[in-house]
Amino acid sequence: MLHSLDDLVPPGAPDDLRRFAAYWIDKAAGRLMPTFADIDPVEIRWSLPRVYLVRVVDGGADFVYRLAGEAINLRYQGSIAGKRVSDLLEAGSAAEVIGRWRRVVETPAAYFVDSEHPTSTGLRIRGLRIALPLGPDGGPADHIIGLTVFESRSEASGAVISGAETHDVRWVELGRPA
């Protein structure tokens, strides 16, 4: 189980990533993971523009964005709700994300990733994110919830396009579902 924020979020990462992970740990309440129903948007109002929620399809055969906050939608120049990652990214980039999400579901696990993304304007934007499973007590995960913090030289840096360069990935295995 994820007990320590330091295991997941490295020193120097944005405080909001630590705060979001702490919220998830609190909602798990000693269980492997919290349920979708445990998450109360009112309690995390501060994070909503940067939150994404992904529905697990057929045990991880595919994934569909259930919702994404305004800051994330801005980076894709429109709502990504109802879309698969393969609808948004080129095959190689989509496969990398799907591989991570499958590991979140199958292990179950949580991860932090620090990556840099090219944008449609030619600038690069840094994305720091955590992804955490949600599911019934005993698993398996039926959703993935995450928070993304974008750091860029310009807030108007354009839409994210494929070709991310990953700088750091941290995994925490949560244990086995019963």
Side-chain angles (χ1 to χ4, degrees):
M1 288 190 219
L2 179 58
H3 297 289
S4 171
L5 295 176
D6 296 329
D7 292 339
L8 181 62
V9 184
D15 288 340
D16 282 351
L17 291 175
R18 298 181 71 77
R19 186 175 174 194
F20 195 79
Y23 175 80
W24 183 93
I25 290 169
D26 182 60
K27 291 300 178 176
R31 296 170 290 165
L32 192 61
M33 66 188 91
T35 67
F36 174 75
D38 291 328
I39 305 302
D40 183 350
V42 173
E43 295 174 344
I44 56 172
R45 186 175 301 134
W46 56 271
S47 68
L48 294 179
R50 296 167 292 151
V51 166
Y52 60 93
L53 182 68
V54 178
R55 184 173 50 87
V56 178
V57 178
D58 295 331
D62 207 347
F63 302 87
V64 175
Y65 282 97
R66 188 164 173 172
L67 64 86
E70 292 175 29
I72 296 169
N73 288 327
L74 176 67
R75 296 299 171 200
Y76 289 97
Q77 295 190 329
S79 175
I80 63 174
K83 295 183 180 177
R84 301 171 194 283
V85 73
S86 58
D87 296 334
L88 302 168
L89 301 174
E90 293 174 358
S93 296
E96 185 176 343
V97 172
I98 290 168
R100 282 192 201 123
W101 288 350
R102 282 189 179 134
R103 184 172 172 187
V104 169
V105 171
E106 293 170 359
T107 302
Y111 72 83
F112 162 87
V113 66
D114 176 351
S115 54
E116 194 173 353
H117 305 264
T119 67
S120 58
T121 62
L123 295 176
R124 298 185 69 76
I125 185 170
R126 184 177 180 201
L128 299 112
R129 67 187 50 80
I130 54 174
L132 305 153
L134 300 173
D137 196 16
D142 53 17
H143 288 84
I144 296 171
I145 192 167
L147 180 76
T148 300
V149 175
F150 290 110
E151 297 179 348
S152 69
R153 289 177 262 162
S154 168
E155 282 304 311
S157 61
V160 169
I161 58 176
S162 288
E165 180 181 326
T166 302
H167 301 295
D168 184 18
V169 179
R170 286 181 172 221
W171 286 95
V172 175
E173 293 192 6
L174 304 175
R176 285 275 165 220

